[in-house]
Amino acid sequence: MESPSVQISDWLSKFDKALGDGDVTAAASMFAPESYWRDLVSFTWNITTVEGPDGVSDLLKETLTQTRPTGWALDGDATEAGGIVEGWLSFQTGQARGKGHIRLKGNKAFTLLTTMTELKGHEEQKGFKRALGLVHGIVPGRTNWLEDRKREEEELGYTEQPYCLIIGGGQGGVMLGARLKRLGVPAIIVEKNEKPGDSWRKRYKSLCLHDPVWYDHFPYLPFPDDWPIFAPKDKLGDWIEFYSKIMELNYWGSTEAQNARFDKATKEWFVTVKRENETVTLRPKHLVLATGLSGMPNVPVFKGAENFKGEQYHSSKFTGLGDFKDKRCVVIGSNNSAHDICAALWEHGADVTMIQKSPTTVIRSNSLMELDLGPIYSEEAVAKGITVDIADMISASMPYRMKHLGQVGIVAEIKRRDADLYSRLENVGFMFDFGDDESGLGMKYLRRGSGYYIDVGASDLIADGKIKLKTRVTVRQINSHSVAFSDGTELPADLIVYATGYGSMNQWAAELISQEVADKVGKVWGLGSATTKDPGPWEGEQRNMWKPTQQEALWFHGGNLHQSRHFSQFLSLQLKARMEGLPTPVYRLAQTHHKM
């Protein structure tokens, strides 16, 4: 029996020969009937997954001549478990270098991941290629780093135009900005808040990340090894601010994008921004909307709301500051923000009631960390040599078509482990589910970006009756001092918080550019799984995220910190290639589905 390393090396050698010979049929025959090739930019100039030998054949017919792949080789030792042989690999194309991962069933490929890591001749200036920082010797009239940096800040956007404009200065915007900076792509980040990190600082004071530190590192500058497992929002805000400065990003705070249009003749955008009290027109070649999933608040309109005598606002405006003792508070919604806000109000002595219209997936944070993220994002994983980059690649190596299968088993164990919590929640009438196919919180996030709560304590307050609960109702109207419901009941209220989520990311495109462009792009986010709030057809990747869209030179970037970190690499390489004039033929440009 050949060793796992020999099996994969033999497969890669045969694959290399088939591709070198231009024999698409032979290459495709090396994949199992049920198989998946996920490519992140290296072959397709896209983020896409093809399935089965027919899908592989189609991809290679369209890309092989231009890509010219060579040098397929196993990196390190392969392993075997449960009949699956897997290992890491490296390869090159005519334009780039790449890394990947493969799983074999027998002598056939089950999954193949290929990712672009750098463009030949356009590598990041790091390591042996790092800048000297000064010219030794005596140079009359020389400028220093500070003078050069100030000149760049003064000229970019005025006498010099950025190649790329990023709208949104949260974690996604600064991570992409850092990647572009390292690649030498002139970019400006515009953010309506005054300082980097303000989008976190201005949220409710008890807010912390619900994802653990190992999942949330930034590119190039990982958190220190004593960083808290769950970062408080102000600490994260400070990190974003310092990161922006250290990475020398051109960050325009107190700047609001007002409108944008794409000029087909000049192939550039005209974007009007108001920078403090100055109106500036920027002309980037590419526009990135990095406004995030939690971008445009979804504020419901209820009859009589204008007559309410207390306070009412969307959860995005809740700061947790103020005197809430003995106040009657109604929180409409039952997902993450609703739970956090209800808990914060209860801690402040409020009489708080959560209004739940539909089921919520609830997973305890400890269970999520141990059973789901723990194998690759944890201190134990780090001790085993699983760095954040390796963890990201492991996560990326499993195609979306298969991800839910592993999650079903994890959810089953969580349900067994935390059965007492679910029983107590059920006893007080809280509605919960685990997704359409019992695949839990992670798949809900990928499919719809809503419908879940990572429990850090509020569920116990609900189960114990400390946070009151009203379910299976809708709001009928708002009265001057109360909220009336569809079942004929009424709750007195001094404060109403609408924890009703956020709209689709392409709403930003509609507002900034036009409804026509938003409709042209179609739905942003979701896999096309045909589950609740994620209508088909199957896409197999996040719709319109981090890759070309139907609107030329318009890109969407965002997601959680993990996604912002991982996919900023591939978005930055796509932009760099275009700036350098490299051919970037896009395989399977995303089709338009579900306009809003």
Side-chain angles (χ1 to χ4, degrees):
M1 181 70 177
E2 292 181 330
S3 70
S5 294
V6 169
Q7 291 180 62
I8 288 183
S9 293
D10 286 349
W11 190 96
L12 292 173
S13 178
K14 293 174 184 177
F15 192 57
D16 192 12
K17 184 178 187 308
L19 296 182
D21 292 342
D23 192 341
V24 170
T25 301
S29 70
M30 298 178 67
F31 286 75
E34 181 190 9
S35 55
Y36 307 88
W37 181 355
R38 188 182 192 202
D39 182 64
L40 306 183
V41 182
S42 59
F43 275 70
T44 61
W45 290 107
N46 200 352
I47 295 175
T48 192
T49 300
V50 296
E51 302 184 9
D54 289 344
V56 172
S57 177
D58 186 72
L59 184 152
L60 290 174
K61 285 177 182 177
E62 294 294 325
T63 66
L64 184 57
T65 301
Q66 187 274 330
T67 306
R68 308 189 310 279
T70 59
W72 297 81
L74 176 68
D75 287 346
D77 295 325
T79 60
E80 187 275 333
I84 300 293
V85 174
E86 61 181 297
W88 299 101
L89 60 92
S90 58
F91 65 96
Q92 296 187 36
T93 69
Q95 295 175 316
R97 299 178 185 89
K99 297 287 186 182
H101 184 273
I102 188 169
R103 294 182 180 91
L104 299 181
K105 279 186 176 180
N107 63 348
K108 302 281 188 178
F110 172 51
T111 68
L112 176 64
L113 169 70
T114 50
T115 74
M116 182 182 291
T117 57
E118 61 183 1
L119 292 164
K120 294 178 179 177
H122 305 288
E123 297 86 355
E124 293 184 0
Q125 300 302 299
K126 61 183 180 180
F128 287 106
K129 295 183 178 181
R130 72 173 76 222
L132 185 61
L134 62 85
V135 177
H136 290 290
I138 306 302
V139 181
R142 77 165 72 190
T143 56
N144 64 14
W145 172 85
L146 182 59
E147 291 168 324
D148 292 340
R149 181 78 183 108
K150 286 183 176 179
R151 184 176 63 252
E152 179 184 2
E153 292 174 340
E154 291 169 357
E155 293 178 353
L156 193 62
Y158 295 95
T159 59
E160 298 289 336
Q161 287 299 314
Y163 183 76
C164 177
L165 177 64
I166 303 168
I167 297 178
Q171 67 267 11
V174 300
M175 289 184 189
L176 177 60
R179 301 265 194 198
L180 294 174
K181 186 78 174 185
R182 296 265 294 220
L183 288 169
V185 178
I188 292 175
I189 303 168
V190 300
E191 167 61 42
K192 64 182 179 180
N193 289 304
E194 180 185 357
K195 296 188 300 182
D198 279 353
S199 57
W200 284 93
R201 294 187 188 99
K202 293 184 176 181
R203 300 295 301 278
Y204 49 94
K205 74 173 187 177
S206 61
L207 175 63
C208 285
L209 288 180
H210 287 191
D211 296 322
V213 60
W214 309 279
Y215 192 68
D216 293 333
H217 289 294
F218 281 51
Y220 313 119
L221 291 177
F223 296 123
D225 58 11
D226 66 343
W227 193 263
I229 293 175
F230 301 108
K233 54 110 176 174
D234 295 289
K235 190 174 181 68
L236 181 62
D238 286 349
W239 181 267
I240 292 172
E241 181 177 3
F242 301 147
Y243 185 85
S244 300
K245 193 170 185 63
I246 292 168
M247 299 307 295
E248 299 179 23
L249 305 185
N250 296 298
Y251 194 104
W252 288 14
S254 301
T255 303
E256 189 164 2
Q258 296 182 316
N259 57 73
R261 66 177 178 86
F262 184 69
D263 189 304
K264 293 181 181 179
T266 62
K267 301 292 185 181
E268 64 184 12
W269 289 91
F270 286 75
V271 185
T272 302
V273 303
K274 188 172 183 180
R275 189 183 189 190
E276 297 179 340
N277 295 319
E278 178 186 16
T279 298
V280 182
T281 298
L282 299 169
R283 302 194 312 278
K285 294 294 184 182
H286 291 267
L287 178 63
V288 179
L289 299 186
T291 48
L293 282 180
S294 300
M296 185 172 288
N298 180 20
V299 182
V301 177
F302 292 124
K303 179 182 176 182
E306 69 279 5
N307 299 320
F308 185 64
K309 301 302 183 184
E311 292 184 84
Q312 58 178 327
Y313 41 73
H314 188 265
S315 58
S316 58
K317 303 295 184 184
F318 179 75
T319 64
L321 302 175
D323 182 10
F324 298 106
K325 184 173 177 56
D326 298 325
K327 294 288 181 68
R328 299 165 299 181
C329 303
V330 176
V331 178
I332 298 173
S334 59
N335 294 334
N336 254 332
S337 292
H339 279 80
D340 284 350
I341 290 169
C342 283
L345 289 169
W346 181 85
E347 285 182 340
H348 283 76
D351 178 341
V352 58
T353 303
M354 175 186 287
I355 311 302
Q356 184 187 33
K357 183 175 70 173
S358 57
T360 305
T361 296
V362 174
I363 304 289
R364 274 184 164 153
S365 176
N366 289 343
S367 298
L368 183 70
M369 285 177 56
E370 180 181 343
L371 298 175
D372 189 5
L373 299 178
I376 58 175
Y377 295 103
S378 65
E379 205 64 43
E380 291 76 15
V382 172
K384 294 176 182 177
I386 301 177
T387 65
V388 66
D389 292 331
I390 292 173
D392 287 350
M393 288 286 282
I394 293 172
S395 178
S397 72
M398 184 56 65
Y400 284 123
R401 181 78 84 177
M402 305 293 295
K403 277 187 181 290
H404 70 285
L405 298 177
Q407 293 296 308
V408 168
I410 292 170
V411 166
E413 174 57 22
I414 288 173
K415 289 167 68 174
R416 185 199 65 78
R417 173 181 295 198
D418 297 327
D420 178 64
L421 171 66
Y422 297 122
S423 176
R424 290 164 58 219
L425 287 174
E426 191 172 31
N427 288 340
V428 297
F430 186 87
M431 298 184 292
F432 59 87
D433 66 11
F434 298 95
D436 291 13
D437 52 7
E438 297 287 295
S439 60
L441 184 153
M443 293 310 300
K444 265 196 175 182
Y445 170 74
L446 292 171
R447 291 165 173 171
R448 54 186 276 194
S450 65
Y452 53 84
Y453 169 56
I454 300 175
D455 178 30
V456 292
S459 290
D460 282 324
L461 294 178
I462 292 170
D464 292 340
K466 295 173 181 177
I467 294 174
K468 299 174 184 177
L469 182 67
K470 193 168 183 60
T471 65
R472 298 176 176 85
V473 295
T474 57
V475 175
R476 181 169 57 83
Q477 72 176 49
I478 308 293
N479 298 320
S480 58
H481 295 284
S482 65
V483 182
F485 298 98
S486 54
D487 63 354
T489 60
E490 194 169 342
L491 275 178
D494 303 305
L495 169 68
I496 304 171
V497 180
Y498 301 108
T500 44
Y502 298 84
S504 170
M505 288 182 70
N506 71 355
Q507 284 184 252
W508 286 110
E511 184 174 276
L512 179 68
I513 309 167
S514 69
Q515 187 64 55
E516 179 185 4
V517 166
D519 289 345
K520 184 178 181 181
V521 170
K523 182 177 175 62
V524 178
W525 202 260
L527 305 174
S529 62
T531 57
T532 303
K533 295 189 178 182
D534 183 28
W538 176 249
E539 176 78 12
E541 297 288 344
Q542 291 290 350
R543 280 183 172 148
N544 288 308
M545 292 296 297
W546 316 295
K547 58 187 177 182
T549 68
Q550 286 289 336
Q551 172 56 56
E552 183 180 357
L554 177 65
W555 311 77
F556 292 85
H557 175 59
N560 58 30
L561 276 84
H562 154 74
Q563 291 171 307
S564 294
R565 173 187 65 247
H566 183 59
F567 287 104
S568 60
Q569 172 185 338
F570 306 109
L571 177 48
S572 65
L573 288 167
Q574 292 174 82
L575 292 167
K576 174 65 172 178
R578 285 163 172 79
M579 188 184 85
E580 298 298 340
L582 302 178
T584 57
V586 177
Y587 172 73
R588 290 207 330 189
L589 180 66
Q591 298 301 301
T592 303
H593 296 292
H594 314 294
K595 294 181 179 179
M596 287 296 282

